[in-house]
Amino acid sequence: MELSSNITEIIACCILIFTSLLGNAILIYGTWRCITRRLPTSFALIFSLAFAHVLKNIVVNAINIIFSVGFPPNPVICKIRIFTASMTTKLEIWFTLYIAIFYCVKLHRVIHPLRAPPNSKWRKHHLLAVFALWVTSISVCCPYLVFVHDMQSLTSFNDSYTVHHSFLYEDCDVRFPDAITDLCYHQIFMVVTDLLPIVVLLFVCGRILLLFREHNQATYGNIWIGHDASETEVLRASKVIVFLMHIVTALWVAHFVIVRSIAHVNLWYWMSTLLIVLFSGYASISPYLLMLINYRISLQIRSLSSFCCKKSNMNKSPSGGQKAIPDSSPAED
């Protein structure tokens, strides 16, 4: 049973890594091809979220595979794992909230147009905010690189542990020398910095749903004149954000509840596998939904897929011709 559980964890990690790397690589490539002169705000947010997904799967799930193979937990590796896991989780939640607020404001402008054009300096502020979020997440999680428990006591304890033991969530955990620091920082502060943005994200998505209701009422009242391609993109992106909100909230809450009660549910052999799926599921699912946010990214991905299909057909039939793929030059956001 123990061997079957470890194999299941390895298979789950490999699937999550492959799915996330494939989706985020396509997302980053399609987004990069759409950049013409400068980096739009929406693209900067997508890049940041995609890089956080890739970092989580490459580092955290790779360490999970190393431990599942049979290598004993190492304090240095545990520090890297807990730091990367906490940092990337916060970045995922924060940037998802940022994208939701960004498109909520744009949706409000679509339904209630401004009389004056928007300030172009906001783009610089957004880029500074993206950089600040990265610096803040690294700074907040730095104590995990300093404090870690003594592995020898747990290793000797696990030798006589007859029940299936989740070393990924118990052995590879932090122990602060001061109980007050552990309570205030690890148990309260780190949870609040994840939970509070999720609560705000729920309110933002609720505001998006109310704006959609106003949009439908304006349409049925023959007040709505119509919308162009950019407005269609905002409407589609807002719908995707609502789906992302449900996914990230459900996965985070389920993972948090199981981790907090892991001492009571540790009898289940595949509990570690479930925790791995809940922890990295958002990093593997969201890239495929983020491809739908911007219509230019969707066009680039379709062009890439059609190019790959035509190239494979050319390899099968050398005499066949290949049409040139039109290069789109999209306008900036």
Side-chain angles (χ1 to χ4, degrees):
M1 281 296 185
E2 186 75 22
L3 180 61
S4 300
S5 177
N6 291 339
I7 293 176
T8 306
E9 294 174 7
I10 296 173
I11 294 175
C13 290
C14 292
I15 294 175
L16 290 170
I17 291 175
F18 174 77
T19 306
S20 179
L21 289 181
L22 178 63
N24 287 289
I26 297 175
L27 178 64
I28 293 174
Y29 174 79
T31 307
W32 185 263
R33 287 292 303 272
C34 294
I35 300 176
T36 54
R37 295 185 303 272
R38 59 182 184 177
L39 180 64
T41 302
S42 59
F43 289 3
L45 296 175
I46 292 175
F47 277 138
S48 298
L49 190 55
F51 283 132
H53 290 332
V54 172
L55 185 63
K56 168 179 280 191
N57 277 277
I58 289 180
V59 177
V60 179
N61 283 331
I63 294 177
N64 292 344
I65 293 175
I66 293 174
F67 287 164
S68 298
V69 170
F71 288 93
N74 183 274
V76 177
I77 299 179
C78 284
K79 289 181 182 181
I80 297 174
R81 182 189 182 277
I82 191 66
F83 169 78
T84 308
S86 180
M87 182 189 68
T88 53
T89 299
K90 294 185 184 305
L91 288 175
E92 286 178 345
I93 297 174
W94 294 354
F95 281 118
T96 302
L97 174 61
Y98 203 142
I99 295 175
I101 296 175
F102 178 77
Y103 279 103
C104 181
V105 173
K106 297 190 74 171
L107 180 62
H108 185 272
R109 291 177 180 176
V110 169
I111 300 175
H112 304 284
L114 297 176
R115 296 183 178 180
N119 190 359
S120 60
K121 294 182 179 179
W122 275 106
R123 175 181 167 273
K124 297 181 179 179
H125 298 328
H126 285 304
L127 295 179
L128 290 176
V130 169
F131 177 76
L133 287 179
W134 278 95
V135 175
T136 303
S137 63
I138 296 174
S139 302
V140 167
C141 301
C142 273
Y144 284 136
L145 294 176
V146 180
F147 302 101
V148 69
H149 65 63
D150 185 12
M151 305 297 300
Q152 295 179 358
S153 59
L154 283 177
T155 303
S156 59
F157 174 75
N158 293 337
D159 293 338
S160 59
Y161 199 41
T162 58
V163 186
H164 176 72
H165 187 66
S166 177
F167 54 81
L168 296 178
Y169 291 89
E170 292 185 16
D171 283 2
C172 216
D173 197 4
V174 292
R175 293 292 185 271
F176 291 90
D178 187 4
I180 298 178
T181 304
D182 182 80
L183 175 64
C184 295
Y185 175 78
H186 182 54
Q187 304 294 335
I188 297 178
F189 177 75
M190 298 302 288
V191 175
V192 170
T193 52
D194 286 345
L195 185 60
L196 183 60
I198 290 179
V199 174
V200 177
L201 179 62
L202 295 176
F203 284 103
V204 173
C205 290
R207 175 58 180 167
I208 291 176
L209 295 177
L210 292 177
L211 291 174
F212 273 121
R213 183 179 179 182
E214 294 183 14
H215 173 264
N216 294 331
Q217 290 176 352
T219 303
Y220 296 145
N222 292 327
I223 301 174
W224 198 259
I225 300 177
H227 45 263
D228 54 13
S230 61
E231 294 175 352
T232 303
E233 174 189 333
V234 173
L235 295 174
R236 182 174 61 248
S238 301
K239 295 177 182 178
V240 173
I241 290 299
V242 175
F243 282 106
L244 292 177
M245 178 271 297
H246 285 90
I247 295 174
V248 68
T249 302
L251 294 178
W252 188 89
V253 172
H255 183 270
F256 176 78
V257 171
I258 295 177
V259 169
R260 291 300 176 181
S261 59
I262 195 171
H264 305 285
V265 297
N266 212 12
L267 292 174
W268 190 27
Y269 284 97
W270 287 276
M271 183 56 62
S272 296
T273 305
L274 177 61
L275 288 172
I276 290 172
V277 173
L278 293 175
F279 180 75
S280 303
Y282 184 67
S284 302
I285 297 174
S286 61
Y288 300 95
L289 294 176
L290 290 172
M291 296 177 188
L292 305 176
I293 284 186
N294 193 290
Y295 72 96
R296 289 172 284 173
I297 299 177
S298 301
L299 291 177
Q300 289 292 338
I301 294 174
R302 291 176 184 175
S303 300
L304 176 63
S305 61
S306 62
F307 175 76
C308 293
C309 293
K310 291 180 181 179
K311 188 174 181 180
S312 61
N313 293 332
M314 285 290 295
N315 293 332
K316 293 180 181 179
S317 58
S319 60
Q322 182 178 4
K323 295 181 180 180
I325 300 175
D327 186 15
S328 58
S329 57
E332 296 291 337
D333 287 350

